[in-house]
Amino acid sequence: MPTPLLFKIHHKSKENAARTGTVTTPHGSFRTPAFMPVGTRATVKGLTPEQVRATGSDILLNNAFHLMLRPTDKRIAEFGGVHKFMNWHRPILTDSGGYQAWSMADINTIDEDGVTFKSIIDGSKIRMTPERSIEIQNNLGADIIMAFDDCPSSVEPQSQNLARRRHALTVRDGKMTGQQHASRLLQSLDRTACWLERCDAAHQKKDIQSLFGIVQGGVDLELRARSVEQICNIELPGYAIGGVAVGESPEKIAEVVKFTAKLLPEEKPRYLMGVGYERDLVTAVASGMDMFDCVLPTRNGRNAHAFTKKGPLNLRNACFVDDLGVIEDGCTCSSCATGNSRAYLRHLYMSKEMLAGILVSIHNIHHFQSLMIDIRRSIEDNSWSALPNRWPVLHSP
Amino acid sequence: MPTPLLFKIHHKSKENAARTGTVTTPHGSFRTPAFMPVGTRATVKGLTPEQVRATGSDILLNNAFHLMLRPTDKRIAEFGGVHKFMNWHRPILTDSGGYQAWSMADINTIDEDGVTFKSIIDGSKIRMTPERSIEIQNNLGADIIMAFDDCPSSVEPQSQNLARRRHALTVRDGKMTGQQHASRLLQSLDRTACWLERCDAAHQKKDIQSLFGIVQGGVDLELRARSVEQICNIELPGYAIGGVAVGESPEKIAEVVKFTAKLLPEEKPRYLMGVGYERDLVTAVASGMDMFDCVLPTRNGRNAHAFTKKGPLNLRNACFVDDLGVIEDGCTCSSCATGNSRAYLRHLYMSKEMLAGILVSIHNIHHFQSLMIDIRRSIEDNSWSALPNRWPVLHSP
């Protein structure tokens, strides 16, 4: 059966592993490298689909775990799928909910077959297996769906607070010895590979939905290589790197991504999950990654953090009280272009007005999309090295 | 000096005192009868100016009291006025903040000259006089500004909870005998008239801002007549009825408005403050009122209350969980026109997502603007009596 996802590479950088391309799905296409805003519960927080679209976004991400709990995947299937439900008629990717099953719920059991956990909504017991995760995502109907994987745990207690992002290595089953932990990591890799086979076998809508496999392995490059071998052994429309940006240094992220990306099939889109800040994205693109998602533009936007080419602004700061400038001179986002001043935005934040987070979320997503446009241009113009001149934030430590 | 406000009456109903017209201000014109959404702190909660505009709104209301406290009227003056500050370049009306000085702050003293109260932001002492209120409103720069009046208090403790709307008659200075209260009411009328003279004398921007006087008098028709005489004794571009919709029955509101409206100058716009539900608006228009403001569309929108021609819906109700219909069939608001279903909106409310209140606020303001359009057409077509056929909500008790 032909894949419903076409990936055409347009240009490969002469300076590094970066490439530009177009991914075409049943709901339209998007240019790569691509940034996907996060719309966890079938809404990019505070923005209408028209406003999301106006930021230059072509594809967004929903979370299968949250939508399975409410309004339920069955209901969304009856509604005709998540595109229609949330009124976004362009490409959508759903995260499998694997990580959320661990991070957001009390796990009762985890075994070879799957996970049983308590609902965050009503405490009811929910069983999640690779088959059920794919059924949920088949019901939701996103263009790209993600494998359900086994997320092993870190033995370092100090990393627990940091391990809030997808596929963190967190321990919930008590302390382990180093030997036990190494053994658990290997078990999780094998289980993830086994579960991917089951995901692929369970996938009922290969004609309209494309399943991506997820490579794990933490910061251990040997484990990453082993995971790539296992995951790419299954022929799929695309592959993702999970388990990064869980508190490692930017250098460590860069090392893992650079090492892993080049092992992934060149002709398939490569998706780096949950990353990140501007510099992380640029570094990952240079390593050959094509797709990204991150909550930073919206979550930080709600917290008065505005991204600019020169670095972030905290719009609650008193220095903005009389600042009549827009967030960023020359910015073409609908917030800056209509003249909303830093002073006005600060007033809205201080007054706890919803519009503050809305306008700055719009600006921030537009900022990330502008970076992606410039990244693509830099690849196609062979002017990669000039990118940091236009984006001074890439210089900051 | 010529007034910067032109009021042209287009058509007078043959069936009642209703009329259509156009008010022209330095920031453009609006058709009357007109409904003004409320943007207390220089933002209609959750909506961009473009979204407010798309509901069919031509003029909105800001609150001088809130903006004086934050970001301060002086700052807004330095920014070039509230239109520029909030990025709304059409007509704006500012409420004087008279009522808020009483309802939202601890009053320390009230005397012939003005009021001293504590800031709701930092507890600092603030002195408000008619002169200061007009200075604030001159600084804000709205097209229409309101007089600062003395709001007397009701002796009935049971009405205190209801007295949350502008110019309620609330007691803060303890119990009064009936005789004391009657005397206080008379004092407040005389003081309001005296303060209006001072407002008019203090008004520095008669070339670009139009001061409206406010008639008080509660539900006592004799006092209303006396107040009209006092207030209209001062030649102003428009007049308002304050102190209604503070918990009276719709019949009582209708009686007071009908009695008072016909005493106001016919050639000037007549503004009924803080009213109200659809039936209250229609009744007031029939009595000859031209302008309205109310928080209902936005406040109720945030609380899952959607207005329809057939009456309100509570979108949190379980009956909407599988309802694929839009809020109202045939509605042309941007929420309904793009197909957002009741099921989706319910999901957003249950998930505490900001977008719920945003989409329903858009629908609700559009609902009120559609009613005003239909009211104006009914007046001009002499088909007033057919209005309730198209708006069944007008029949409900």
Side-chain angles (χ1 to χ4, degrees), chain A residues 41-43 45-48 50-51 70-71 75 79 85 87 321-322 324 338 343-344 347-348 350-351 353 355 358, chain B residues 41-43 45-48 50-51 70-71 75 79 85 87 321-322 324 338 343-344 347-348 350-351 353 355 358:
Chain A
R41 294 178 175 83
T43 162
K45 290 189 189 298
L47 306 195
T48 65
E50 297 76 37
Q51 288 173 321
R70 185 165 51 203
R75 201 160 265 139
F79 294 160
F85 182 59
N87 198 17
V321 71
D322 288 315
L324 290 184
T338 51
Y344 179 57
H347 163 71
L348 294 178
M350 300 309 283
S351 303
E353 284 285 350
L355 190 59
I358 293 167
Chain B
R41 295 176 174 84
T43 162
K45 288 189 189 302
L47 306 194
T48 65
E50 297 76 36
Q51 288 173 322
R70 186 164 51 202
R75 201 160 265 139
F79 294 160
F85 182 59
N87 197 18
V321 72
D322 288 315
L324 291 184
T338 51
Y344 179 57
H347 163 70
L348 294 177
M350 300 308 285
S351 302
E353 285 284 351
L355 190 59
I358 293 167

Short mmCIF file of all heavy atoms in Angstrom, two decimals, chain A residues 41-43 45-48 50-51 70-71 75 79 85 87 321-322 324 338 343-344 347-348 350-351 353 355 358, chain B residues 41-43 45-48 50-51 70-71 75 79 85 87 321-322 324 338 343-344 347-348 350-351 353 355 358:
data_model
loop_
_atom_site.label_atom_id
_atom_site.label_comp_id
_atom_site.label_asym_id
_atom_site.label_seq_id
_atom_site.Cartn_x
_atom_site.Cartn_y
_atom_site.Cartn_z
N ARG A 41 -5.06 19.89 23.62
CA ARG A 41 -6.46 19.46 23.76
C ARG A 41 -7.30 19.93 22.57
O ARG A 41 -8.41 20.41 22.72
CB ARG A 41 -7.04 20.01 25.06
CG ARG A 41 -6.40 19.44 26.31
CD ARG A 41 -6.97 20.07 27.57
NE ARG A 41 -6.46 19.45 28.77
CZ ARG A 41 -5.30 19.77 29.35
NH1 ARG A 41 -4.56 20.71 28.83
NH2 ARG A 41 -4.91 19.14 30.45
N ALA A 42 -6.73 19.83 21.36
CA ALA A 42 -7.44 20.25 20.16
C ALA A 42 -7.68 21.76 20.14
O ALA A 42 -8.69 22.25 19.62
CB ALA A 42 -8.75 19.49 19.95
N THR A 43 -6.74 22.51 20.75
CA THR A 43 -6.75 23.97 20.65
C THR A 43 -5.35 24.47 21.00
O THR A 43 -4.77 24.04 22.00
CB THR A 43 -7.77 24.62 21.61
OG1 THR A 43 -7.45 26.02 21.79
CG2 THR A 43 -7.76 23.98 22.98
N LYS A 45 -3.61 27.06 22.70
CA LYS A 45 -4.25 27.80 23.79
C LYS A 45 -4.50 29.28 23.46
O LYS A 45 -3.57 30.04 23.22
CB LYS A 45 -3.43 27.68 25.08
CG LYS A 45 -3.50 26.28 25.67
CD LYS A 45 -2.89 26.18 27.05
CE LYS A 45 -2.80 24.73 27.51
NZ LYS A 45 -4.10 24.05 27.62
N GLY A 46 -5.79 29.63 23.45
CA GLY A 46 -6.18 31.03 23.29
C GLY A 46 -6.28 31.53 21.86
O GLY A 46 -6.74 32.65 21.64
N LEU A 47 -5.86 30.71 20.88
CA LEU A 47 -5.85 31.19 19.50
C LEU A 47 -6.90 30.46 18.65
O LEU A 47 -7.06 29.25 18.76
CB LEU A 47 -4.48 30.98 18.86
CG LEU A 47 -3.24 31.53 19.57
CD1 LEU A 47 -2.06 31.53 18.60
CD2 LEU A 47 -3.47 32.92 20.10
N THR A 48 -7.57 31.21 17.79
CA THR A 48 -8.44 30.57 16.81
C THR A 48 -7.57 29.95 15.73
O THR A 48 -6.41 30.36 15.53
CB THR A 48 -9.38 31.60 16.16
OG1 THR A 48 -8.58 32.52 15.40
CG2 THR A 48 -10.18 32.37 17.20
N GLU A 50 -7.68 30.49 12.67
CA GLU A 50 -7.29 31.55 11.75
C GLU A 50 -6.04 32.28 12.29
O GLU A 50 -5.14 32.64 11.52
CB GLU A 50 -8.42 32.58 11.58
CG GLU A 50 -9.71 32.02 10.96
CD GLU A 50 -10.53 31.19 11.92
OE1 GLU A 50 -10.59 31.53 13.13
OE2 GLU A 50 -11.12 30.17 11.49
N GLN A 51 -6.03 32.51 13.59
CA GLN A 51 -4.87 33.19 14.18
C GLN A 51 -3.63 32.31 14.12
O GLN A 51 -2.53 32.79 13.87
CB GLN A 51 -5.17 33.59 15.64
CG GLN A 51 -6.16 34.76 15.74
CD GLN A 51 -6.60 35.05 17.17
OE1 GLN A 51 -6.81 34.14 17.96
NE2 GLN A 51 -6.77 36.31 17.49
N ARG A 70 -10.68 13.04 27.12
CA ARG A 70 -11.77 14.01 26.91
C ARG A 70 -11.54 14.72 25.61
O ARG A 70 -10.45 15.28 25.44
CB ARG A 70 -11.82 15.01 28.09
CG ARG A 70 -13.00 15.96 28.01
CD ARG A 70 -13.27 16.69 29.29
NE ARG A 70 -12.08 17.32 29.86
CZ ARG A 70 -11.92 17.64 31.15
NH1 ARG A 70 -12.87 17.38 32.02
NH2 ARG A 70 -10.82 18.22 31.57
N PRO A 71 -12.47 14.74 24.70
CA PRO A 71 -13.85 14.25 24.80
C PRO A 71 -13.97 12.75 24.51
O PRO A 71 -15.08 12.25 24.50
CB PRO A 71 -14.58 15.06 23.72
CG PRO A 71 -13.55 15.24 22.66
CD PRO A 71 -12.25 15.42 23.39
N ARG A 75 -15.61 9.63 20.36
CA ARG A 75 -16.47 10.77 20.04
C ARG A 75 -15.88 11.59 18.89
O ARG A 75 -16.62 12.00 17.99
CB ARG A 75 -16.59 11.63 21.31
CG ARG A 75 -17.76 12.52 21.34
CD ARG A 75 -18.08 12.95 22.77
NE ARG A 75 -19.09 12.13 23.40
CZ ARG A 75 -19.04 11.71 24.66
NH1 ARG A 75 -18.02 12.01 25.43
NH2 ARG A 75 -20.02 10.99 25.14
N PHE A 79 -17.40 12.52 15.25
CA PHE A 79 -17.49 13.90 14.76
C PHE A 79 -16.86 14.04 13.38
O PHE A 79 -16.94 15.11 12.76
CB PHE A 79 -16.76 14.87 15.70
CG PHE A 79 -17.39 15.00 17.06
CD1 PHE A 79 -16.66 15.49 18.13
CD2 PHE A 79 -18.72 14.65 17.28
CE1 PHE A 79 -17.23 15.62 19.38
CE2 PHE A 79 -19.29 14.78 18.53
CZ PHE A 79 -18.54 15.26 19.58
N PHE A 85 -13.22 18.51 14.08
CA PHE A 85 -13.58 18.83 15.47
C PHE A 85 -13.04 20.20 15.87
O PHE A 85 -13.75 21.04 16.40
CB PHE A 85 -13.05 17.74 16.39
CG PHE A 85 -13.39 17.92 17.84
CD1 PHE A 85 -14.71 17.99 18.26
CD2 PHE A 85 -12.38 17.99 18.81
CE1 PHE A 85 -15.03 18.14 19.61
CE2 PHE A 85 -12.70 18.14 20.15
CZ PHE A 85 -14.02 18.22 20.55
N ASN A 87 -11.62 22.36 13.76
CA ASN A 87 -11.76 23.36 12.72
C ASN A 87 -10.41 23.81 12.15
O ASN A 87 -10.19 24.98 11.84
CB ASN A 87 -12.54 24.55 13.29
CG ASN A 87 -13.11 25.44 12.23
OD1 ASN A 87 -13.21 25.06 11.07
ND2 ASN A 87 -13.47 26.65 12.61
N VAL A 321 7.13 49.86 31.03
CA VAL A 321 5.90 50.57 31.38
C VAL A 321 5.62 51.75 30.45
O VAL A 321 4.45 52.08 30.20
CB VAL A 321 5.93 51.00 32.87
CG1 VAL A 321 6.92 52.12 33.11
CG2 VAL A 321 4.54 51.35 33.36
N ASP A 322 6.64 52.37 29.95
CA ASP A 322 6.46 53.51 29.05
C ASP A 322 6.99 53.23 27.65
O ASP A 322 7.23 54.16 26.87
CB ASP A 322 7.18 54.75 29.61
CG ASP A 322 6.45 55.31 30.82
OD1 ASP A 322 5.21 55.42 30.76
OD2 ASP A 322 7.12 55.62 31.83
N LEU A 324 6.81 52.46 24.06
CA LEU A 324 5.80 52.50 23.00
C LEU A 324 6.17 51.65 21.79
O LEU A 324 5.41 51.56 20.84
CB LEU A 324 5.58 53.95 22.56
CG LEU A 324 4.87 54.80 23.62
CD1 LEU A 324 4.60 56.19 23.08
CD2 LEU A 324 3.57 54.13 24.04
N THR A 338 0.02 45.46 13.92
CA THR A 338 -1.07 46.39 14.22
C THR A 338 -0.67 47.39 15.29
O THR A 338 -1.47 48.23 15.69
CB THR A 338 -2.34 45.64 14.66
OG1 THR A 338 -2.00 44.71 15.69
CG2 THR A 338 -2.94 44.87 13.49
N ALA A 343 4.29 48.60 26.21
CA ALA A 343 3.59 49.21 27.35
C ALA A 343 2.16 48.65 27.46
O ALA A 343 1.69 48.36 28.56
CB ALA A 343 3.55 50.72 27.19
N TYR A 344 1.50 48.52 26.33
CA TYR A 344 0.13 47.97 26.35
C TYR A 344 0.15 46.51 26.80
O TYR A 344 -0.65 46.10 27.64
CB TYR A 344 -0.50 48.10 24.95
CG TYR A 344 -1.90 47.55 24.84
CD1 TYR A 344 -2.92 48.01 25.67
CD2 TYR A 344 -2.21 46.56 23.90
CE1 TYR A 344 -4.21 47.51 25.56
CE2 TYR A 344 -3.50 46.06 23.79
CZ TYR A 344 -4.50 46.54 24.63
OH TYR A 344 -5.77 46.03 24.52
N HIS A 347 0.70 46.34 30.43
CA HIS A 347 -0.56 46.69 31.11
C HIS A 347 -1.50 45.49 31.14
O HIS A 347 -2.11 45.19 32.18
CB HIS A 347 -1.21 47.87 30.38
CG HIS A 347 -2.66 48.06 30.70
ND1 HIS A 347 -3.10 48.51 31.92
CD2 HIS A 347 -3.78 47.82 29.96
CE1 HIS A 347 -4.42 48.56 31.92
NE2 HIS A 347 -4.87 48.15 30.75
N LEU A 348 -1.61 44.76 30.02
CA LEU A 348 -2.51 43.60 29.97
C LEU A 348 -2.03 42.50 30.91
O LEU A 348 -2.84 41.87 31.60
CB LEU A 348 -2.61 43.07 28.54
CG LEU A 348 -3.27 43.99 27.50
CD1 LEU A 348 -3.25 43.32 26.12
CD2 LEU A 348 -4.71 44.33 27.89
N MET A 350 -0.16 42.91 33.65
CA MET A 350 -0.34 43.36 35.03
C MET A 350 -1.82 43.31 35.42
O MET A 350 -2.14 43.11 36.59
CB MET A 350 0.20 44.79 35.20
CG MET A 350 1.69 44.96 34.90
SD MET A 350 2.76 43.78 35.74
CE MET A 350 2.78 44.49 37.40
N SER A 351 -2.70 43.51 34.43
CA SER A 351 -4.14 43.48 34.70
C SER A 351 -4.70 42.07 34.58
O SER A 351 -5.92 41.88 34.65
CB SER A 351 -4.87 44.41 33.73
OG SER A 351 -4.37 45.73 33.81
N GLU A 353 -5.10 40.24 32.04
CA GLU A 353 -6.04 40.15 30.92
C GLU A 353 -5.62 39.05 29.95
O GLU A 353 -4.45 38.96 29.56
CB GLU A 353 -6.10 41.50 30.20
CG GLU A 353 -6.91 42.56 30.94
CD GLU A 353 -8.42 42.33 30.84
OE1 GLU A 353 -8.85 41.47 30.05
OE2 GLU A 353 -9.16 43.04 31.57
N LEU A 355 -5.91 38.78 26.88
CA LEU A 355 -5.39 39.23 25.59
C LEU A 355 -3.86 39.30 25.59
O LEU A 355 -3.24 39.14 24.53
CB LEU A 355 -6.00 40.60 25.22
CG LEU A 355 -5.74 41.08 23.80
CD1 LEU A 355 -6.28 40.10 22.76
CD2 LEU A 355 -6.36 42.47 23.58
N ILE A 358 -2.54 35.96 24.57
CA ILE A 358 -2.96 35.71 23.19
C ILE A 358 -2.04 36.44 22.21
O ILE A 358 -1.49 35.84 21.29
CB ILE A 358 -4.43 36.15 23.00
CG1 ILE A 358 -5.35 35.26 23.83
CG2 ILE A 358 -4.82 36.16 21.52
CD1 ILE A 358 -6.78 35.79 23.97
N ARG B 41 -10.64 47.46 30.88
CA ARG B 41 -9.22 47.81 31.06
C ARG B 41 -8.54 47.98 29.69
O ARG B 41 -7.43 47.52 29.49
CB ARG B 41 -8.51 46.74 31.87
CG ARG B 41 -9.01 46.63 33.30
CD ARG B 41 -8.33 45.49 34.03
NE ARG B 41 -8.69 45.44 35.44
CZ ARG B 41 -9.77 44.86 35.93
NH1 ARG B 41 -10.62 44.26 35.11
NH2 ARG B 41 -10.02 44.87 37.22
N ALA B 42 -9.23 48.62 28.75
CA ALA B 42 -8.67 48.84 27.40
C ALA B 42 -8.48 47.53 26.67
O ALA B 42 -7.56 47.38 25.86
CB ALA B 42 -7.37 49.65 27.45
N THR B 43 -9.35 46.55 26.95
CA THR B 43 -9.41 45.31 26.18
C THR B 43 -10.78 44.67 26.40
O THR B 43 -11.23 44.57 27.54
CB THR B 43 -8.31 44.30 26.59
OG1 THR B 43 -8.65 42.98 26.13
CG2 THR B 43 -8.13 44.24 28.09
N LYS B 45 -12.39 41.53 26.84
CA LYS B 45 -11.65 40.38 27.38
C LYS B 45 -11.48 39.24 26.37
O LYS B 45 -12.46 38.66 25.90
CB LYS B 45 -12.31 39.86 28.66
CG LYS B 45 -12.12 40.81 29.83
CD LYS B 45 -12.59 40.21 31.15
CE LYS B 45 -12.58 41.27 32.25
NZ LYS B 45 -11.28 41.90 32.49
N GLY B 46 -10.22 38.96 26.05
CA GLY B 46 -9.88 37.81 25.21
C GLY B 46 -9.95 38.06 23.71
O GLY B 46 -9.55 37.20 22.94
N LEU B 47 -10.46 39.22 23.30
CA LEU B 47 -10.63 39.46 21.86
C LEU B 47 -9.66 40.52 21.35
O LEU B 47 -9.45 41.55 22.00
CB LEU B 47 -12.06 39.92 21.54
CG LEU B 47 -13.22 39.05 22.03
CD1 LEU B 47 -14.51 39.46 21.33
CD2 LEU B 47 -12.97 37.58 21.83
N THR B 48 -9.10 40.28 20.16
CA THR B 48 -8.32 41.33 19.51
C THR B 48 -9.29 42.37 18.95
O THR B 48 -10.47 42.07 18.72
CB THR B 48 -7.49 40.76 18.35
OG1 THR B 48 -8.39 40.28 17.35
CG2 THR B 48 -6.60 39.61 18.81
N GLU B 50 -9.53 43.33 16.01
CA GLU B 50 -10.05 42.81 14.74
C GLU B 50 -11.25 41.89 15.01
O GLU B 50 -12.24 41.91 14.28
CB GLU B 50 -8.97 42.02 13.99
CG GLU B 50 -7.75 42.83 13.56
CD GLU B 50 -6.80 43.13 14.72
OE1 GLU B 50 -6.63 42.28 15.61
OE2 GLU B 50 -6.22 44.24 14.73
N GLN B 51 -11.13 41.07 16.04
CA GLN B 51 -12.24 40.17 16.37
C GLN B 51 -13.45 40.95 16.87
O GLN B 51 -14.59 40.61 16.55
CB GLN B 51 -11.78 39.13 17.42
CG GLN B 51 -10.82 38.09 16.85
CD GLN B 51 -10.23 37.18 17.92
OE1 GLN B 51 -9.92 37.61 19.02
NE2 GLN B 51 -10.07 35.91 17.58
N ARG B 70 -4.47 51.99 36.55
CA ARG B 70 -3.44 51.27 35.79
C ARG B 70 -3.82 51.25 34.34
O ARG B 70 -4.94 50.83 34.05
CB ARG B 70 -3.31 49.84 36.35
CG ARG B 70 -2.18 49.07 35.70
CD ARG B 70 -1.79 47.83 36.47
NE ARG B 70 -2.91 46.97 36.77
CZ ARG B 70 -2.94 46.07 37.75
NH1 ARG B 70 -1.92 45.92 38.54
NH2 ARG B 70 -4.01 45.34 37.96
N PRO B 71 -3.00 51.68 33.43
CA PRO B 71 -1.61 52.13 33.61
C PRO B 71 -1.50 53.58 34.04
O PRO B 71 -0.37 54.06 34.13
CB PRO B 71 -1.03 51.94 32.21
CG PRO B 71 -2.16 52.24 31.29
CD PRO B 71 -3.38 51.71 31.99
N ARG B 75 -0.25 58.31 31.71
CA ARG B 75 0.55 57.48 30.81
C ARG B 75 -0.18 57.30 29.47
O ARG B 75 0.43 57.38 28.41
CB ARG B 75 0.78 56.13 31.49
CG ARG B 75 1.93 55.38 30.96
CD ARG B 75 2.39 54.32 31.96
NE ARG B 75 3.48 54.76 32.80
CZ ARG B 75 3.60 54.53 34.10
NH1 ARG B 75 2.65 53.88 34.75
NH2 ARG B 75 4.64 54.96 34.76
N PHE B 79 0.90 58.24 25.69
CA PHE B 79 0.88 57.26 24.60
C PHE B 79 0.11 57.77 23.39
O PHE B 79 0.08 57.12 22.34
CB PHE B 79 0.24 55.95 25.05
CG PHE B 79 1.02 55.20 26.10
CD1 PHE B 79 0.38 54.25 26.89
CD2 PHE B 79 2.36 55.43 26.29
CE1 PHE B 79 1.09 53.56 27.87
CE2 PHE B 79 3.07 54.73 27.27
CZ PHE B 79 2.43 53.80 28.05
N PHE B 85 -3.55 53.39 22.29
CA PHE B 85 -3.04 52.46 23.31
C PHE B 85 -3.58 51.06 23.09
O PHE B 85 -2.85 50.08 23.09
CB PHE B 85 -3.43 52.99 24.70
CG PHE B 85 -2.94 52.15 25.85
CD1 PHE B 85 -1.58 51.93 26.03
CD2 PHE B 85 -3.84 51.60 26.77
CE1 PHE B 85 -1.12 51.15 27.10
CE2 PHE B 85 -3.39 50.84 27.83
CZ PHE B 85 -2.03 50.62 28.00
N ASN B 87 -5.26 50.09 20.36
CA ASN B 87 -5.27 49.71 18.96
C ASN B 87 -6.70 49.55 18.40
O ASN B 87 -6.97 48.67 17.59
CB ASN B 87 -4.46 48.41 18.81
CG ASN B 87 -4.04 48.14 17.39
OD1 ASN B 87 -4.05 49.03 16.56
ND2 ASN B 87 -3.71 46.90 17.12
N VAL B 321 -22.78 17.22 24.56
CA VAL B 321 -21.54 16.46 24.41
C VAL B 321 -21.39 15.85 23.01
O VAL B 321 -20.27 15.70 22.52
CB VAL B 321 -21.42 15.38 25.51
CG1 VAL B 321 -22.39 14.25 25.29
CG2 VAL B 321 -19.99 14.86 25.61
N ASP B 322 -22.49 15.52 22.37
CA ASP B 322 -22.43 14.95 21.02
C ASP B 322 -23.10 15.85 19.99
O ASP B 322 -23.45 15.40 18.90
CB ASP B 322 -23.11 13.57 21.01
CG ASP B 322 -22.28 12.53 21.73
OD1 ASP B 322 -21.07 12.50 21.51
OD2 ASP B 322 -22.85 11.77 22.54
N LEU B 324 -23.29 18.21 17.21
CA LEU B 324 -22.41 18.71 16.15
C LEU B 324 -22.88 20.02 15.53
O LEU B 324 -22.23 20.57 14.65
CB LEU B 324 -22.26 17.64 15.05
CG LEU B 324 -21.47 16.41 15.50
CD1 LEU B 324 -21.28 15.45 14.35
CD2 LEU B 324 -20.11 16.84 16.04
N THR B 338 -17.45 29.34 10.88
CA THR B 338 -16.35 28.41 10.59
C THR B 338 -16.66 27.02 11.10
O THR B 338 -15.85 26.11 10.95
CB THR B 338 -15.02 28.90 11.20
OG1 THR B 338 -15.23 29.20 12.58
CG2 THR B 338 -14.52 30.13 10.48
N ALA B 343 -20.44 20.67 20.63
CA ALA B 343 -19.64 19.61 21.26
C ALA B 343 -18.20 20.09 21.47
O ALA B 343 -17.60 19.84 22.51
CB ALA B 343 -19.66 18.35 20.40
N TYR B 344 -17.65 20.76 20.46
CA TYR B 344 -16.28 21.27 20.59
C TYR B 344 -16.20 22.34 21.67
O TYR B 344 -15.30 22.32 22.51
CB TYR B 344 -15.81 21.83 19.24
CG TYR B 344 -14.41 22.40 19.25
CD1 TYR B 344 -13.32 21.62 19.65
CD2 TYR B 344 -14.18 23.72 18.86
CE1 TYR B 344 -12.03 22.14 19.65
CE2 TYR B 344 -12.88 24.24 18.85
CZ TYR B 344 -11.82 23.46 19.25
OH TYR B 344 -10.55 23.97 19.25
N HIS B 347 -16.36 20.78 24.99
CA HIS B 347 -15.04 20.19 25.29
C HIS B 347 -14.07 21.25 25.79
O HIS B 347 -13.34 21.04 26.77
CB HIS B 347 -14.51 19.52 24.02
CG HIS B 347 -13.04 19.23 24.04
ND1 HIS B 347 -12.49 18.26 24.86
CD2 HIS B 347 -11.99 19.80 23.39
CE1 HIS B 347 -11.17 18.24 24.69
NE2 HIS B 347 -10.84 19.16 23.81
N LEU B 348 -14.05 22.42 25.13
CA LEU B 348 -13.13 23.48 25.53
C LEU B 348 -13.47 24.01 26.93
O LEU B 348 -12.58 24.27 27.74
CB LEU B 348 -13.16 24.63 24.52
CG LEU B 348 -12.63 24.33 23.10
CD1 LEU B 348 -12.80 25.56 22.21
CD2 LEU B 348 -11.18 23.88 23.13
N MET B 350 -15.04 22.30 29.33
CA MET B 350 -14.72 21.26 30.31
C MET B 350 -13.22 21.15 30.52
O MET B 350 -12.75 20.79 31.59
CB MET B 350 -15.28 19.90 29.86
CG MET B 350 -16.80 19.86 29.68
SD MET B 350 -17.75 20.46 31.10
CE MET B 350 -17.57 19.06 32.21
N SER B 351 -12.45 21.47 29.47
CA SER B 351 -10.99 21.42 29.55
C SER B 351 -10.40 22.73 30.04
O SER B 351 -9.18 22.89 30.06
CB SER B 351 -10.40 21.08 28.18
OG SER B 351 -10.91 19.86 27.71
N GLU B 353 -10.22 25.56 28.66
CA GLU B 353 -9.42 26.18 27.61
C GLU B 353 -9.93 27.59 27.33
O GLU B 353 -11.14 27.81 27.16
CB GLU B 353 -9.48 25.33 26.33
CG GLU B 353 -8.63 24.07 26.41
CD GLU B 353 -7.13 24.35 26.26
OE1 GLU B 353 -6.77 25.50 25.93
OE2 GLU B 353 -6.34 23.41 26.48
N LEU B 355 -9.96 29.28 24.73
CA LEU B 355 -10.63 29.48 23.45
C LEU B 355 -12.15 29.39 23.58
O LEU B 355 -12.88 30.01 22.80
CB LEU B 355 -10.11 28.48 22.41
CG LEU B 355 -10.53 28.71 20.97
CD1 LEU B 355 -10.09 30.07 20.45
CD2 LEU B 355 -9.98 27.60 20.06
N ILE B 358 -13.48 32.77 24.41
CA ILE B 358 -13.20 33.65 23.27
C ILE B 358 -14.24 33.45 22.17
O ILE B 358 -14.88 34.40 21.70
CB ILE B 358 -11.78 33.39 22.74
CG1 ILE B 358 -10.75 33.81 23.78
CG2 ILE B 358 -11.56 34.08 21.40
CD1 ILE B 358 -9.33 33.32 23.49
#
